[in-house]
Amino acid sequence: MQEKNLKLYLFCLFFIACVVGGAICVSAGVSRLCNDGVREIHSLLSCGGIISVLAVAGLLITKPKKDSFKTLRPGVREVFAIMTMYWIAASVLGAIPYITVSGFLWDDALFESFSAFTTTSASLITNGMAVRNGNLPNGVGDLPRGLLFWRCLSSWLGGMGAIALVLSIMPLIRQKNQIIPYAETAGLKSGEYNLSMRMNTSAWNIIGVYALLTLLETLILYLPSWSEIGFFDALCSAFNTVSTSGFCTKQDGISGFSSAWLEAVTLVFMFLSALNFNVAVAAFNTIWNYLRRGRRAVGEKPKFLLFNDESNFFISMILLVTAIMVFLQPVQKIFMKEEYHLHEFLGNCWYTLFHTVSFATTTGYSNLPNGYAWMLPAYAVILLLVLSLFGGCSGSTSSGLKSFRVLVLFRQGKNELNRFLYPHMVPTVYLDGKRREDGTMQNIQAFCALFMGVLIFFSITVPLVEPDLDFVQSFETSLSCLTNTGTLFRPDGTVLALGELNLNWGAKLILSLEMLLGRLELYGVLVFLLTISRRE
């Protein structure tokens, strides 16, 4: 490894450690405001302070000379390595508060931290979970407020991902800084589905949209008097929704609040967070220009950006799956000769829409109350798992294959079918009126094949280290971690917490790696592993 690349890696690691340490200190302040115990406050403050001091010392030692980094020309391997180290270092450091504050075992703490930073709602915390000094009878309810805030804040930081790194480190490097967002959107490098070449401006705009959505949801949840949701729960809910992480401050999830207002607001912001953030930036700019300069300054551009093919496909999939599930529910009741009332139909429509959006955006929320048996049909579970595999739009905080790739594959499949009828036709895929290049098509095909191969590989690997899992649980667990959805189902269709599977430490590490692969869209981690396995 070249000395200049090693210096770049160390500088990035210390910077990431500084950010994590500062965020833990902020959580300690929240713990003090929420009147947590003295030991919990001091533990958080000690963790954050020690990490921050060591990180600042490392930054001073590896501080580059003036304009020395501007001569670097990092390649794809270096950029992917930086992205992978970003999540690994943040997740390892983020596990320390779980150990020091609530006495988590090291494997449980590491899994929870990886799940948070990769915006996966998979959690090992259950009622009666074992910790070093006893157990947690009420699960999440027994955690101090400061640790709950850190859990939600780390998922919010993980949602920003590569964009935060662009703002913090890449301005030091002039060359090839557009590779960073490509590390999270492999196969989506061309056209309007990627960040513009003015990386700093685009990154700031996206961060602004991300923060604005978080602020809006917090205020909408907290300000209305009928919502009865405290500011702490509103802020944590906004963190988890905008980042599509799916965590909650209640052990029963979002259904523990018993608030229709919270569910409705969460539904809207889950959908907005799964749309392309570049589209959102263009929409805000269009509205601002319209207010400042009038209709002439807007032109035809917003019509294209707000209603592009990817967004239309994403919305169509949600509506189609919702309609299918709503239609099949009364049909099944009639076929089984059971009574089916109107109020039951309306309630099922709401639960159907909420779960469809939740899984399509890979958030993983479930608003079903305890004992509610709506999810018993197997077709509903299969449709939701397929939606989580498709994922949200490119350039969003969602994971999965992304709607852009799925749409391209559908249209390419349609073209191949038409070739049987018209042998002399030239198959061409158009999106938003533009022809997709052959290189982009090959990237998408390769990524989808690699994604399915990784899914099958981990579905086989997990039961090797955890023999108690059957093949259905193994596949479903691997799918939920690779798509960063994190929600499992029992055979009867009710929601299953991952902690109830009693996984050993080997399975937890494998699933943590799978969550990292899903968050970095495979290529980041795989290229990093190939890089460290070879000599320069």
Side-chain angles (χ1 to χ4, degrees):
M1 183 180 296
Q2 299 178 3
E3 182 180 355
K4 60 180 181 180
N5 289 338
L6 178 60
K7 195 172 185 179
L8 174 62
Y9 294 153
L10 292 176
F11 180 82
C12 295
L13 286 176
F14 284 126
F15 184 87
I16 294 165
C18 188
V19 173
V20 172
I24 296 176
C25 290
V26 173
S27 301
V30 173
S31 181
R32 177 65 182 86
L33 294 175
C34 295
N35 297 320
D36 285 339
V38 176
R39 190 188 68 83
E40 288 80 3
I41 298 174
H42 288 174
S43 297
L44 279 174
L45 190 59
S46 300
C47 291
I50 293 174
I51 294 175
S52 300
V53 170
L54 294 177
V56 171
L59 287 175
L60 294 177
I61 294 174
T62 60
K63 182 180 179 180
K65 297 180 181 179
K66 186 177 181 180
D67 297 335
S68 62
F69 275 176
K70 293 182 180 181
T71 60
L72 290 178
R73 297 177 181 269
V76 175
R77 290 190 300 174
E78 287 78 9
V79 171
F80 279 131
I82 292 174
M83 292 302 306
T84 305
M85 290 190 302
Y86 173 88
W87 261 272
I88 294 177
S91 300
V92 172
L93 294 175
I96 298 177
Y98 294 96
I99 299 174
T100 59
V101 176
S102 294
F104 276 49
L105 303 177
W106 68 270
D107 52 344
D108 295 338
L110 195 63
F111 184 91
E112 290 292 328
S113 184
F114 266 98
S115 181
F117 276 102
T118 57
T119 66
T120 309
S121 59
S123 177
L124 300 175
I125 303 175
T126 57
N127 294 332
M129 175 184 175
V131 292
R132 287 202 312 266
N133 299 325
N135 55 30
L136 302 175
N138 300 316
V140 174
D142 291 332
L143 297 180
R145 291 286 202 175
L147 188 60
L148 283 177
F149 182 82
W150 165 242
R151 188 171 179 241
C152 300
L153 179 61
S154 56
S155 66
W156 189 76
L157 293 175
M160 289 191 295
I163 306 304
L165 193 64
V166 168
L167 287 176
S168 57
I169 297 173
M170 286 300 110
L172 298 172
I173 305 173
R174 292 180 178 178
Q175 302 294 333
K176 295 186 180 181
N177 54 2
Q178 70 271 18
I179 303 178
I180 283 289
Y182 178 60
E184 280 197 319
T185 55
L188 308 178
K189 193 177 179 180
S190 63
E192 63 281 350
Y193 294 94
N194 201 11
L195 297 175
S196 67
M197 294 300 293
R198 296 182 178 179
M199 189 57 58
N200 294 336
T201 302
S202 297
W204 276 116
N205 289 336
I206 292 177
I207 290 294
V209 172
Y210 191 78
L212 181 60
L213 288 175
T214 306
L215 178 62
L216 284 177
E217 184 178 0
T218 303
L219 295 178
I220 292 174
L221 288 175
Y222 175 68
L223 291 181
S225 57
W226 63 82
S227 63
E228 297 182 355
I229 300 173
F231 183 79
F232 177 83
D233 291 327
L235 181 60
C236 290
S237 179
F239 282 162
N240 297 320
T241 303
V242 177
S243 64
T244 62
S245 67
F247 278 136
C248 191
T249 56
K250 300 286 186 180
Q251 181 62 37
D252 294 335
I254 197 172
S255 60
F257 289 96
S258 300
S259 174
W261 177 250
L262 174 64
E263 295 177 6
V265 174
T266 300
L267 174 67
V268 173
F269 279 89
M270 279 192 301
F271 172 76
L272 294 177
S273 300
L275 296 176
N276 194 320
F277 275 27
N278 295 293
V279 175
V281 170
F284 281 114
N285 290 337
T286 299
I287 296 174
W288 177 251
N289 290 333
Y290 180 82
L291 295 176
R292 290 181 58 191
R293 303 175 185 176
R295 186 174 181 180
R296 292 183 178 180
V298 176
E300 296 296 329
K301 190 175 182 180
K303 183 178 180 180
F304 166 75
L305 288 174
L306 293 178
F307 301 98
N308 58 65
D309 287 351
E310 184 187 24
S311 300
N312 291 338
F313 176 76
F314 178 65
I315 297 172
S316 300
M317 290 300 299
I318 293 177
L319 296 178
L320 176 62
V321 173
T322 302
I324 292 174
M325 294 173 67
V326 169
F327 173 75
L328 289 180
Q329 289 164 14
V331 171
Q332 186 183 37
K333 290 287 186 179
I334 295 175
F335 181 79
M336 299 299 294
K337 297 181 179 181
E338 299 178 1
E339 295 183 358
Y340 194 73
H341 303 285
L342 179 61
H343 67 86
E344 185 180 358
F345 173 77
L346 296 177
N348 288 340
C349 288
W350 170 245
Y351 291 129
T352 299
L353 179 61
F354 186 91
H355 280 80
T356 302
V357 175
S358 177
F359 278 79
T361 59
T362 68
T363 306
Y365 275 134
S366 177
N367 66 337
L368 290 175
N370 292 332
Y372 197 80
W374 168 77
M375 295 297 290
L376 288 177
Y379 66 82
V381 176
I382 295 175
L383 286 174
L384 293 179
L385 293 178
V386 171
L387 273 182
S388 67
L389 179 63
F390 288 175
C393 298
S394 59
S396 68
T397 57
S398 299
S399 300
L401 289 174
K402 298 295 177 62
S403 298
F404 174 79
R405 297 189 182 99
V406 179
L407 176 59
V408 170
L409 290 179
F410 279 171
R411 292 190 174 181
Q412 188 177 14
K414 180 182 178 181
N415 286 342
E416 294 299 326
L417 290 176
N418 289 333
R419 289 184 64 182
F420 287 97
L421 298 177
Y422 309 100
H424 299 290
M425 72 170 291
V426 179
T428 305
V429 176
Y430 287 90
L431 286 178
D432 299 319
K434 295 182 180 180
R435 181 179 180 272
R436 297 293 103 179
E437 300 86 353
D438 293 337
T440 302
M441 303 296 298
Q442 293 175 359
N443 288 338
I444 292 175
Q445 294 172 2
F447 178 86
C448 293
L450 183 62
F451 191 95
M452 299 308 298
V454 170
L455 176 60
I456 295 173
F457 173 78
F458 278 99
S459 299
I460 298 173
T461 305
V462 172
L464 289 178
V465 297
E466 184 56 74
D468 293 336
L469 292 181
D470 56 35
F471 69 96
V472 175
Q473 290 177 333
S474 174
F475 178 80
E476 188 179 4
T477 303
S478 297
L479 178 63
S480 65
C481 290
L482 191 59
T483 58
N484 299 130
T485 305
T487 301
L488 305 177
F489 294 94
R490 296 185 178 90
D492 61 358
T494 56
V495 177
L496 171 67
L498 188 64
E500 298 179 24
L501 297 179
N502 296 321
L503 302 174
N504 56 34
W505 65 270
K508 295 173 187 177
L509 293 181
I510 291 177
L511 293 178
S512 298
L513 175 61
E514 197 170 0
M515 290 187 289
L516 185 63
L517 281 166
R519 184 62 211 172
L520 290 180
E521 303 213 358
L522 304 183
Y523 285 131
V525 181
L526 295 180
V527 172
F528 173 72
L529 294 177
L530 290 176
T531 300
I532 63 177
S533 64
R534 296 179 181 178
R535 290 186 177 182
E536 293 286 346

